[in-house]
Amino acid sequence: MTDPLDINALSRETGVPVRTIRYYLAEKLLPASAGRGPAASYGPGHRDRLRLIRRLQEAHQPLATIRAQLEALDDAGVAAALVEPGAVQDAPVTAYDYVRQVLGKPARHGEPPANAARPEPAATPAPPPTVRQQPRSTWERIALHPDIELHVRRPLARADQRRLDALLEQAQRLFSTEP
């Protein structure tokens, strides 16, 4: 068994900044340290978890997914995941591969991503979704004054038509009087 590490030594050994280690502790990605404050010490389990977190991040896994995976593993499981070749999905090589991985589509070579669920064949094809047509509308230009127009989209609801009629009456009164 190795000697316990302080947070600075853990940071140097894993390449993870101290601030990030503290964030992972607060977010429960890492178990609490033994001791508190300057006496806090970290063991090989912390080091291995930080290395696994790094690998999962390189595979573009979100922290919520990483947390769920780490919660299911004890220290021995984390160590095994680090040495097991297929335990962590490799990072995609290109942006195209990454997008296909995120969408759960097969990779270029016809192989599905490791984490993609295979859909079950449907017994009957689903009917195509119906596209609800919006009613056609047209715009009407109403001249209120030689330099002023009102644009109205038709058709209007009855209440809106009553308001428009009232507005036009007011506009007619307003523009018919000469100052």
Side-chain angles (χ1 to χ4, degrees):
M1 182 165 187
T2 61
D3 291 331
L5 306 167
D6 67 353
I7 197 163
N8 293 315
L10 181 64
S11 173
R12 280 190 305 276
E13 206 170 297
T14 59
V16 178
V18 170
R19 186 173 182 174
T20 303
I21 294 172
R22 288 192 175 119
Y23 173 76
Y24 290 161
L25 288 164
E27 291 295 315
K28 307 287 191 238
L29 288 158
L30 293 174
S33 63
R36 301 184 109 184
S41 62
Y42 303 89
H46 292 93
R47 182 191 60 234
D48 290 345
R49 284 179 187 273
L50 285 170
R51 288 179 177 156
L52 185 58
I53 290 169
R54 179 67 48 103
R55 279 185 59 188
L56 292 169
Q57 285 177 327
E58 288 171 356
H60 304 286
Q61 298 290 323
L63 282 181
T65 304
I66 294 171
R67 180 183 303 110
Q69 290 178 11
L70 289 174
E71 285 174 352
L73 298 173
D74 59 0
D75 286 347
V78 171
L82 284 171
V83 295
E84 191 176 320
V88 178
Q89 184 176 353
D90 292 329
V93 177
T94 66
Y96 174 79
D97 293 336
Y98 171 71
V99 170
R100 295 200 56 95
Q101 175 185 328
V102 169
L103 295 175
K105 298 201 175 173
R108 284 187 187 169
H109 307 292
E111 301 171 4
N115 65 349
R118 292 200 166 90
E120 305 230 353
T124 59
T130 57
V131 178
R132 189 172 160 201
Q133 294 288 336
Q134 294 292 330
R136 285 209 147 196
S137 61
T138 57
W139 286 89
E140 178 183 355
R141 298 165 108 187
I142 302 171
L144 301 176
H145 186 269
D147 296 327
I148 301 173
E149 288 183 340
L150 178 66
H151 294 234
V152 179
R153 184 173 23 195
R154 298 283 186 180
L156 285 176
R158 283 187 184 166
D160 291 334
Q161 183 61 48
R162 284 194 295 270
R163 290 185 193 109
L164 177 62
D165 292 339
L167 177 66
L168 292 174
E169 285 177 27
Q170 289 291 336
Q172 188 177 21
R173 273 190 244 124
L174 182 65
F175 292 113
S176 68
T177 58
E178 295 292 325

